Amino acid sequence: MVNNSGRTIALRKLCGDKTISPQRSNKVFRVPIKRRLGRTPVIEVTFNEKKTFEMILDTGANNSLIPLEVAMALQLKPTGFLQAQIADGSQVQFPISKIKSMTAGGAIAKNIEVAIAPKAAIGLLGHDFFGNYDIKILEKEVEFYLR
């Protein structure tokens, strides 16, 4: 910006520097794909910095879902209920609980409400976890790029 005297003033001095640092914009977290269910990647996710479980990376799920066995292992108590539409279009009600943190290869989400599915064999990692990341699914790993 140029002031009345013709002097150039950097806008970041007036507005504050809101740009993302080069280090942060290039931050990528790589997570090995353990296996696939169909063509969908299964990765390891650590809950509350303590216990690690396999989860399906579900790019079509809004919310993360964990099996009852995982909720019991984490000693979670239900805090409410979530009405959700599942893949076949039907409506299902799930108990929910809050997870302090979920991490995968350094990518992290904090204070996530997860649905607890009594009959699920494996969890689903949804947009509530990776919503702040761009995702690249490769042959042997998943890359999470911090936005």
Side-chain angles (χ1 to χ4, degrees):
M1 181 172 98
V2 178
N3 69 9
N4 292 344
S5 307
R7 201 168 134 223
T8 301
I9 299 172
L11 288 177
R12 80 183 77 138
K13 286 184 178 180
L14 295 174
C15 304
D17 190 357
K18 303 286 186 197
T19 60
I20 296 174
S21 71
Q23 285 179 327
R24 185 167 180 176
S25 65
N26 293 331
K27 194 68 172 174
V28 60
F29 303 102
R30 291 178 176 85
V31 182
I33 296 173
K34 292 203 59 182
R35 60 191 170 96
R36 291 179 187 262
L37 288 176
R39 296 182 187 161
T40 308
V42 175
I43 62 174
E44 288 190 339
V45 177
T46 302
F47 294 81
N48 299 334
E49 300 175 12
K50 294 178 183 173
K51 297 191 184 247
T52 302
F53 300 95
E54 289 185 348
M55 303 265 297
I56 296 171
L57 180 68
D58 190 345
T59 58
N62 288 325
N63 301 90
S64 295
L65 175 140
I66 60 173
L68 179 59
E69 292 78 18
V70 171
M72 289 173 26
L74 296 171
Q75 299 178 347
L76 298 179
K77 304 277 189 254
T79 58
F81 290 91
L82 169 74
Q83 187 77 22
Q85 182 175 337
I86 60 175
D88 70 3
S90 61
Q91 295 287 320
V92 180
Q93 191 174 53
F94 294 106
I96 57 171
S97 190
K98 190 159 268 194
I99 300 285
K100 290 179 190 168
S101 69
M102 294 167 57
T103 59
I108 187 167
K110 295 184 177 183
N111 299 316
I112 300 289
E113 277 190 344
V114 295
I116 301 168
K119 297 179 183 177
I122 189 169
L124 303 176
L125 193 62
H127 281 269
D128 53 357
F129 174 80
F130 56 78
N132 292 323
Y133 298 92
D134 291 323
I135 300 171
K136 191 179 211 180
I137 301 173
L138 304 170
E139 181 183 356
K140 296 185 180 192
E141 66 184 5
V142 176
E143 295 177 341
F144 293 91
Y145 293 85
L146 187 61
R147 287 190 191 137

